[in-house]
Amino acid sequence: MNDIPLAGPDITAHERKAVLAVLKTRVLSRGPKLYEFEHNMSAYIGTRYAVAASSGTAALHIAVRALGIGAGDHVITTPLSFIASSNCLLFERAVPVFVDAEPETGCIDPLKTEEKIEELRKKKIPLKAILAIDYFGYLADWDRLRALARKHNLFLIEDSCEALGTYRKAKTGNRMAGAFGDVGIFGFYPNKQMTTGEGGMLVTNSKRTFEAARALRNHGADPLGLWSGYRDLGYNYHISELACALGVAQLERIEEMLARRIQVADRYTRLLARSSFFEPPPAPAPDTRLSPYIYPVRVPADWPRRTRDLLIKQLAARGVQCRDYFPCIHLSPFYRKTFGYKRGDFPIAERFADRIIALPFFNRLSADTAALVVRHAEEVAEKIAAGKMRDERR
Ligand SMILES: *Cc1c(COP(=O)(O)O)cnc(C)c1O
C-alpha cells in the first residue's frame, strides 16, 4: 500500500494549461504573468499593492528591508513559527525579541507583548516593529497588536504565510489575513493553501513600502529600470513567469480549494469527536472564516514529547505520514548556540509545540482515508498508552 502523504498540492488541468501556455512564449521571467499575479493577489487580499518574490522567506526579507529595519533594531516576534519568520531579522542583524504564545491558537500573546514593550522602553532599547504570525491559519489578535503599535510607534509585520484565505467578517466588508499589518507576507511552497512551487508575495497599502520592495527584489534598481540606476543594495528575488502563471491559475480556484480543505478538516473533527487521545484544533472565533493550513491535533497533556514522537514514528511505520509542527525557533541548534536559549524560556510555546501532531491533510483526502488515518492513530495511541502504563507500574 502507498503511504498516505502528509501534504500535497492540488494541481488540475487548469494549472497545467496555464504553465504550458507560458512555455510557448519567449517571456519566461518578469513578464505579463508577474503583473497579473500581483494584481489578482492584491485584489483578493484587498490591499493596494502586491510584490511577488521567489519565496515567502524572500518576501519577509524584503519587508524587513523596505521598512528600514537594520542592525541593532529590536523586533518583537514569537518562537512558535517557521524558522524563516525570525531568520529574516537576522539577515539584517536586527534582533528578534521573543514573546511567548497564547495557549489556544499558538499566536503571539498580546499581554506579554505589551509587558515586553514596556520592559524594552524602560531600558531604552531601540524597538522598531512587531512581527506576528497567523499561526496555522488562525488570526493573531491584530486589534490589540495594532493598538500597541500605534501607541509605541512600531511597524506591524503580518506573516500570513499560513493563512491565505482566512478572513474576519465585518459589515463593512471582510478583512483578509495579510491585510492587518503594515505589510502582509504569503508563501507558496507546495504544502500551503496554494502553491507556485516556490514563491511568495508581499502585500501593503503603503506606496513607499511597495516601491522599496519592488526595487529590493530587483538588485536595488531604480524603478525606471535603467542599468545604471542601482540606488540600493538589493537582491535577485524574482519569481519566474511559469510560477506566476501557476499562481494565477491556483488563485482562480482558491475558494474551491479552501472549501475542500475546510471539508477535510471538518471530517477529521467529526471523526475525532469521541477520541480519548486526540484533541482537534480549536474552532476559530465566530466572526472568522478559518483557512486551515494543516490539521494539527493535540496529544494528551500528560504525554511527554518523546511519547508524541514515538506515535509519529509508529504511524510512519504503518504508512501514515504525520509530523511535529513546528519545533520552537529558540530551541533550534543555531538559536541556542547564537543566543543561549534553552528549554523553559517560553513554556507555553514549548508545550504547544510538544503536543502537536499534524495529520495527513490535503484537498483531495477522501472520507475513507481520513477514517483510516484516525483508526491507525487511535490504535497506535492505545498501544502506547498501555505500554506507558506498564512502564509506570514496574
Ligand atoms: C511557509 C512559511 C514561510 C515562508 O516559507 P517559504 O518556504 O520561504 O515560502 C514563512 N513563515 C511561515 C510562518 C511559514 O509557515
Side-chain angles (χ1 to χ4, degrees):
M1 197 192 84
N2 286 331
D3 276 14
I4 302 166
L6 178 63
D10 181 350
I11 303 295
T12 66
H14 181 57
E15 283 82 0
R16 286 191 283 274
K17 201 171 139 207
V19 174
L20 269 176
V22 171
L23 277 175
K24 289 176 184 158
T25 72
R26 301 167 57 91
V27 186
L28 300 188
S29 188
R30 303 166 68 180
K33 285 292 158 188
L34 169 65
Y35 301 111
E36 191 181 346
F37 187 28
E38 290 176 338
H39 175 270
N40 294 359
M41 187 60 80
S42 60
Y44 182 63
I45 303 303
T47 54
R48 229 169 273 151
Y49 307 105
V51 179
S54 50
S55 69
T57 305
L60 276 166
H61 185 194
I62 288 176
V64 168
R65 280 284 311 272
L67 295 176
I69 296 166
D73 289 333
H74 288 55
V75 175
I76 289 192
T77 188
T78 147
L80 201 51
S81 177
F82 180 55
I83 193 107
S85 67
S86 71
N87 278 353
C88 66
L89 301 167
L90 299 184
F91 296 161
E92 295 305 320
R93 302 280 181 263
V95 184
V97 179
F98 291 125
V99 165
D100 211 344
E102 184 277 314
E104 191 70 4
T105 62
C107 294
I108 197 165
D109 184 322
L111 289 178
K112 288 179 180 152
T113 300
E114 183 164 19
E115 286 166 14
K116 185 52 85 175
I117 293 173
E118 303 289 351
E119 181 192 323
L120 296 176
R121 287 273 125 142
K122 267 193 211 114
K123 293 184 192 158
K124 301 210 183 313
I125 286 170
L127 184 60
K128 267 284 179 67
I130 301 171
L131 192 167
I133 291 96
D134 295 321
Y135 205 47
F136 296 166
Y138 292 81
L139 287 173
D141 191 343
W142 291 107
D143 290 344
R144 274 147 108 184
L145 295 176
R146 171 60 67 192
L148 288 172
R150 200 167 281 146
K151 181 172 168 199
H152 296 282
N153 197 24
L154 305 172
F155 288 119
L156 269 188
I157 304 174
E158 181 177 9
D159 180 343
S160 36
C161 285
E162 301 182 359
L164 179 69
T166 288
Y167 58 78
R168 196 161 74 189
K169 299 165 203 163
K171 288 210 183 66
T172 49
N174 297 334
R175 186 129 179 228
M176 302 291 288
F180 289 89
D182 296 308
V183 292
I185 305 294
F186 294 99
F188 308 119
Y189 186 74
N191 70 351
K192 309 274 172 176
Q193 284 88 338
M194 64 162 263
T195 188
T196 59
E198 294 281 357
M201 188 79 71
L202 177 157
V203 294
T204 185
N205 285 319
S206 153
K207 187 164 187 228
R208 225 177 117 178
T209 305
F210 163 67
E211 286 177 348
R214 217 171 35 169
L216 288 164
R217 172 180 68 188
N218 183 28
H219 309 275
D222 190 297
L224 296 176
L226 305 174
W227 291 115
S228 59
Y230 298 109
R231 295 193 294 202
D232 202 350
L233 175 66
Y235 316 95
N236 176 357
Y237 282 166
H238 288 106
I239 174 169
S240 77
E241 286 289 283
L242 299 148
C244 290
L246 180 50
V248 169
Q250 288 261 280
L251 194 56
E252 279 163 357
R253 291 181 48 239
I254 190 72
E255 287 301 320
E256 171 210 322
M257 292 198 295
L258 293 182
R260 286 178 188 276
R261 263 181 131 70
I262 290 166
Q263 188 184 43
V264 174
D266 287 349
R267 196 177 276 146
Y268 268 136
T269 300
R270 280 196 304 275
L271 285 164
L272 289 167
R274 283 182 310 277
S275 170
S276 35
F277 296 103
F278 303 107
E279 212 176 287
D287 65 349
T288 300
R289 194 280 294 261
L290 175 75
S291 163
Y293 167 47
I294 57 172
Y295 191 81
V297 299
R298 277 177 235 217
V299 300
D302 61 350
W303 279 26
R305 183 163 36 103
R306 60 188 151 73
T307 308
R308 188 272 316 260
D309 293 346
L310 180 66
L311 180 79
I312 293 174
K313 230 165 97 186
Q314 295 196 352
L315 280 169
R318 291 176 175 225
V320 181
Q321 292 184 10
C322 298
R323 253 206 76 164
D324 55 334
Y325 240 105
F326 293 105
C328 288
I329 293 174
H330 69 286
L331 296 178
S332 65
F334 177 73
Y335 280 77
R336 283 180 189 253
K337 179 175 75 188
T338 310
F339 299 100
Y341 287 120
K342 57 188 186 316
R343 198 159 264 285
D345 285 346
F346 304 98
I348 310 263
E350 290 166 22
R351 201 61 211 115
F352 187 102
D354 287 353
R355 284 184 65 195
I356 293 283
I357 290 190
L359 300 184
F361 186 64
F362 44 92
N363 298 0
R364 284 162 208 280
L365 192 135
S366 70
D368 287 349
T369 307
L372 186 68
V373 168
V374 169
R375 202 165 66 233
H376 278 303
E378 291 283 339
E379 277 175 23
V380 172
E382 190 93 46
K383 283 197 175 140
I384 287 176
K388 192 170 147 256
M389 280 158 61
R390 232 185 359 256
D391 285 350
E392 277 164 8
R393 253 186 272 121
R394 254 188 234 133

